[in-house]
C-alpha cells in the first residue's frame, strides 16, 4: 500500500552511531530503547542494536523488556520503571534485570525464588528516581535473596559541561558505592553516564554507559553541545509526508483554524498529510517542509491530520509529491532540532511522539 506519510529509519546510521559511542566510552554500551525506541520501533531497533554491538538493552517498562525477549533479544535487558506491585516473577522468568528504587520494591522482589537480578538505583541529586531518604534503611536491608548486578544513577544536567551539579552527582555516586562496598555489596556493573555524559565527561564513565538520544543520531542539546554533525552522529529517522493538495491563493487569505496567519502575497499553499495526531506539534511555528531543494514554512495552526505550508509563488510542487518534514539536514531540510525549537520543545519529544499511524520503514533516506 502507498502511504501518505512514513518515518524512514536507516539502520546503517544506527550502527555507525553505536560504533562511535562504543569507541568514545571504551566500555559496555546499554542501548536505551524505551518508548518504542524513541519512536523508532522497539523490536526492530532492539534487534539491530544487538547486532550492531550493543552489550545491553535498557527500557522503562517491564512490558517493553518482555516484548524484546519474546522477539529474540538475547543480551541482558534492564527495566527501570517497575514499581511495587509489578509481576516480578514474570521479569525473572524472562531473565530481565530490574531497577530497585525503594525498600518496598526490594522486599517484594526478594520474595521471588532463584535470586532475581537487580540494579540499585541511586538519587544522586536529580531528585527523581532512586534511593534518597531510604538510603540508611537500604544499608540495613537483607540482600541475601537478590543478586545485586548493578548500581546506577542518572544526571540532570549532563549536557552542560563543567556544571557543578554534575560534579556533585558524581561525588554522591562514588560515596554511595563505597557505602555499599562497606557492607559487602560490590555490584559488578556500575553505570551513570547517559548520551551527554558519554560525549562530555570521561570521569562519569564506569562499567557501562546508557545511551539513548545519541544512538538515534541526535544531539542531547544543540545549544550546549552542538548539532549531530558536530558530534559525528547520524540522525537515523527521516520523516516524510505527501502533499495532499497544492492550491494558488491571493494575498490576504486567512489560513487554518482561528485564522492565526494570513498570506502576505499571492502564493501557492501545500496541504501536508500529517497533523498533531501523527505527532506534529500543534503549536509548531518556524519549521516546515523541504521539497525540490527548498524549504516551505508552516503557515497557520497545525490541524489533527494536516498542516499547511507556504510553497511560494514559483513552486512547481504538485499534489501527491513527497516532502521531507525532517531529516539529517544535509540537503537543507529541517531537522528534529528545528522542530523542537519550533515547538518550544526538544528533539527527544519530536521523534518519540511520532504517532502509531505513521509506518516505520527500515530503509535508507530518500531525497
Ligand atoms: C532515558 C534514559 C537514558 C538515556 O538518556 P539519553 O539522554 O537519551 O542518552 C539513560 N538512563 C536513564 C535512566 C534514562 O531514563
Amino acid at each position: 500500500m502507498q502511504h501518505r506519510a512514513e518515518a524512514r529509519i536507516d539502520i546503517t546510521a544506527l550502527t555507525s552511531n553505536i560504533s562511535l559511542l562504543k569507541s568514545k566510552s571504551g566500555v559496555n554500551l546499554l542501548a536505551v530503547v524505551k518508548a518504542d525506541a524513541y519512536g523508532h520501533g522497539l523490536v526492530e531497533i532492539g534487534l539491530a542494536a544487538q547486532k550492531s554491538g550493543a552489550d545491553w538493552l535498557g527500557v522503562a517498562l517491564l512490558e517493553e523488556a518482555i516484548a524484546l525477549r519474546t522477539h529474540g533479544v538475547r543480551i541482558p535487558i534492564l527495566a527501570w520503571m517497575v514499581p511495587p506491585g509489578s509481576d516480578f516473577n514474570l521479569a525473572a522468568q524472562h531473565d530481565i534485570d530490574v531497577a530497585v528504587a525503594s525498600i518496598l520494591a526490594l522486599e517484594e522482589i526478594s520474595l521471588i525464588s532463584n535470586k532475581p537480578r537487580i540494579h540499585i538505583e541511586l538519587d544522586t541529586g536529580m531528585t527523581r528516581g532512586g534511593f534518597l531518604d531510604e538510603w540508611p534503611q537500604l544499608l540495613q536491608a537483607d540482600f541475601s535473596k537478590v543478586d545485586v548486578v548493578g548500581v546506577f544513577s542518572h544526571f540532570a544536567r549532563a549536557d552542560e559541561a563543567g556544571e557543578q551539579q554534575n560534579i556533585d552527582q558524581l561525588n554522591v555516586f562514588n560515596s554511595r558505592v563505597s557505602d555499599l562496598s562497606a557492607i559487602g555489596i560490590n555490584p559488578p556493573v556500575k553505570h551513570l553516564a547517559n548520551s551527554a555524559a558519554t560525549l562530555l565527561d570521561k570521569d562519569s564513565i564506569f562499567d557501562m554507559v546508557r545511551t539513548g538520544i545519541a544512538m538515534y543520531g541526535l544531539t542531547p542539546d544543540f545549544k550546549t553541545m552542538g548539532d549531530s554533525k558536530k558530534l559525528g552522529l547520524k540522525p537515523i529517522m527521516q520523516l516524510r509526508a505527501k502533499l495532499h493538495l497544492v492550491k494558488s491563493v491571493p494575498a490576504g487569505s486567512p489560513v487554518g483554524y482561528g485564522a492565526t496567519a494570513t498570506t502576505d502575497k499571492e502564493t501557492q499553499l501545500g496541504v501536508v498529510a500529517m497533523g498533531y495526531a501523527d505527532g506534529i506539534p500543534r503549536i509548531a511555528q518556524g519549521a516546515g517542509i523541504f521539497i525540490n531543494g527548498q524549504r516551505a514554512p508552516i503557515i497557520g495552526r497545525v490541524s489533527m491530520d494536516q498542516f499547511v505550508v507556504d510553497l511560494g509563488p514559483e513552486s512547481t510542487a504538485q499534489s501527491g509529491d513527497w516532502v521531507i518534514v525532517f531529516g539529517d539536514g544535509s540537503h537543507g531540510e529541517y531537522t528534529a532540532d528545528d522542530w523542537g525549537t519550533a515547538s518550544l520543545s526538544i528533539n527527544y519529544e519530536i521523534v518519540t511522539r511520532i504517532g502509531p499511524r505513521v509506518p516505520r520503514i527500515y530503509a535508507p533516506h530518500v531525497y
Side-chain angles (χ1 to χ4, degrees):
M1 195 183 68
Q2 267 289 339
H3 306 115
R4 51 91 216 195
E6 64 185 24
R8 298 180 73 91
I9 313 289
D10 183 355
I11 295 295
T12 63
L14 174 78
T15 304
S16 151
N17 297 330
I18 288 177
S19 304
L20 179 96
L21 291 164
K22 282 201 73 154
S23 72
K24 281 235 181 248
S25 77
V27 300
N28 279 349
L29 181 138
L30 176 147
V32 181
V33 294
K34 63 191 179 190
D36 201 29
Y38 292 37
H40 295 69
L42 173 68
V43 168
E44 292 83 354
I45 297 294
L47 289 171
Q50 172 175 261
K51 216 172 174 180
S52 302
D55 304 281
W56 288 65
L57 296 184
V59 290
L61 312 185
L62 184 51
E63 44 269 49
E64 295 175 320
I66 290 170
L68 290 166
R69 271 287 176 261
T70 54
H71 286 89
V73 168
R74 296 281 151 259
I75 57 181
I77 303 175
L78 170 62
W80 52 72
M81 290 292 286
V82 189
S86 299
D87 192 342
F88 293 112
N89 249 312
L90 195 63
Q93 277 163 25
H94 285 92
D95 198 18
I96 291 157
D97 293 20
V98 169
V100 166
S102 69
I103 297 291
L104 185 57
L106 179 65
E107 286 170 356
E108 285 191 16
I109 201 164
S110 296
L111 300 173
I112 307 304
S113 50
N114 299 324
K115 286 205 158 197
R117 288 162 56 98
I118 69 160
H119 295 231
I120 297 171
E121 184 180 1
L122 308 175
D123 182 350
T124 53
M126 185 173 178
T127 322
R128 198 186 64 175
F131 279 95
L132 185 67
D133 56 328
E134 290 186 323
W135 186 245
Q137 286 153 267
L138 186 74
L139 293 176
Q140 306 287 318
D142 175 12
F143 289 98
S144 66
K145 301 284 192 294
V146 291
D147 179 7
V148 186
V149 174
V151 57
F152 76 106
S153 187
H154 194 51
F155 281 120
R157 306 181 67 173
D159 50 338
E160 298 170 68
E163 164 59 42
Q164 183 61 38
Q165 187 172 340
N166 298 328
I167 300 163
D168 295 345
Q169 286 197 250
L170 179 59
N171 289 338
V172 174
F173 187 77
N174 280 316
S175 131
R176 297 280 192 271
V177 169
S178 303
D179 292 348
L180 287 173
S181 184
I183 59 163
I185 307 286
N186 295 294
V189 192
K190 299 178 288 298
H191 47 109
L192 177 57
N194 57 3
S195 293
T198 301
L199 295 166
L200 291 180
D201 184 6
K202 280 256 169 267
D203 293 343
S204 70
I205 296 174
F206 289 85
D207 305 301
M208 178 164 86
V209 295
R210 302 184 309 269
T211 54
I213 199 74
M215 201 179 72
Y216 301 103
L218 300 176
T219 176
D221 184 337
F222 73 87
K223 289 187 228 75
T224 56
M225 297 177 59
D227 62 9
S228 303
K229 193 169 175 198
K230 173 167 181 244
L231 296 171
L233 299 168
K234 297 182 175 159
I236 77 176
M237 183 191 290
Q238 182 193 48
L239 186 67
R240 302 200 308 156
K242 279 192 169 179
L243 285 177
H244 180 67
L245 194 61
V246 174
K247 59 175 65 168
S248 297
V249 299
S253 305
V255 182
Y257 287 119
T260 55
T262 304
T263 52
D264 58 2
K265 57 181 183 312
E266 186 180 344
T267 190
Q268 294 183 79
L269 299 182
V271 179
V272 182
M274 282 190 104
Y276 62 76
D278 303 299
I280 303 296
R282 180 172 178 272
I283 61 162
Q285 287 297 326
I289 58 94
F290 186 76
I291 183 169
N292 298 336
Q294 291 198 311
R295 288 180 169 196
I298 299 176
I299 177 166
R301 271 191 197 140
V302 172
S303 308
M304 188 180 290
D305 313 294
Q306 45 194 304
F307 65 94
V308 180
V309 296
D310 189 347
L311 295 165
E314 313 300 331
S315 175
T316 56
Q318 296 187 351
S319 59
D321 285 355
W322 282 104
V323 301
I324 298 173
V325 180
F326 63 77
D328 64 18
S330 60
H331 291 64
E333 71 273 34
Y334 292 97
T335 62
D337 290 330
D338 294 327
W339 276 92
T341 303
S343 316
L344 310 178
S345 185
I346 53 174
N347 55 16
Y348 289 76
E349 189 174 5
I350 296 299
V351 291
T352 303
R353 293 183 74 160
I354 299 304
R357 293 201 308 193
V358 180
R360 273 63 172 174
I361 310 290
Y362 297 88
H365 299 171
V366 289
Y367 290 94

